[in-house]
Amino acid sequence: MSLDPSFVGRTYPPTAPYQVGREKIREFATAIGATDPAHHDPEAARALGHPDVVAPPTFPVVVTMAASRQIIEDPALGVDYSRVVHGDQRFAYTRPVVAGDELVCVNTIEEITSRGGHGFLTTRTDVSTAAGEPVVAVWSKIVVRGEA
């Protein structure tokens, strides 16, 4: 099944809030080898003007991957997840993610194309606080490999 191009522009409902924990940030930073003290030590982060530890720049993937299930699991769109490979990811920050943030995601399908028998799906996830303060926009492109 190919991706349905009529989904371009579709926006999904906001996700439930995700509470960003200090230990989650530390664990993520350790897992990716991010050694900046601001990712691990609240005092180091405060010395830089942040209220608590600061998440590494790719941390929003933790939240947006879960939120993307809205899109991936939409049967009418036609994503066969067993055929998906990651194509691209980029971030545009308004401000850093810090421990204590309560984040909400809104997913929008920005582009659907087909090339060489493969489907390309680009999504934008706008991440904001539960109070509505913008934090980061995350674009993701996945490739749905065609049948061999």
Side-chain angles (χ1 to χ4, degrees):
M1 173 188 258
S2 61
L3 300 173
D4 183 346
S6 73
F7 276 66
V8 172
R10 182 172 292 193
T11 297
Y12 291 79
T15 61
Y18 175 90
Q19 183 70 41
V20 178
R22 184 182 290 162
E23 286 308 311
K24 273 288 188 203
I25 289 175
R26 286 176 174 156
E27 289 168 359
F28 186 87
T30 299
I32 65 167
T35 58
D36 187 316
H39 301 315
H40 301 274
D41 178 7
E43 291 308 314
R46 285 187 193 103
L48 296 172
H50 302 290
D52 208 322
V53 295
V54 180
T58 55
F59 180 84
V61 167
V62 171
V63 183
T64 62
M65 280 293 291
S68 71
R69 287 196 332 252
Q70 290 177 314
I71 296 170
I72 301 301
E73 294 176 356
D74 188 335
L77 177 57
V79 174
D80 177 353
Y81 201 71
S82 71
R83 305 194 66 77
V84 167
V85 294
H86 186 267
D88 187 32
Q89 191 95 35
R90 60 191 167 94
F91 304 84
Y93 274 90
T94 302
R95 69 155 177 86
V97 173
V98 296
D101 278 342
E102 195 172 23
L103 301 178
V104 174
C105 297
V106 175
N107 292 306
T108 301
I109 296 177
E110 286 206 335
E111 182 180 50
I112 295 175
T113 59
S114 180
R115 292 188 299 270
H118 307 295
F120 295 79
L121 172 67
T122 302
T123 61
R124 185 187 77 244
T125 304
D126 293 309
V127 182
S128 60
T129 65
E133 176 191 5
V135 177
V136 61
V138 180
W139 287 266
S140 177
K141 181 175 289 197
I142 62 169
V143 181
V144 182
R145 295 172 293 122
E147 301 285 330

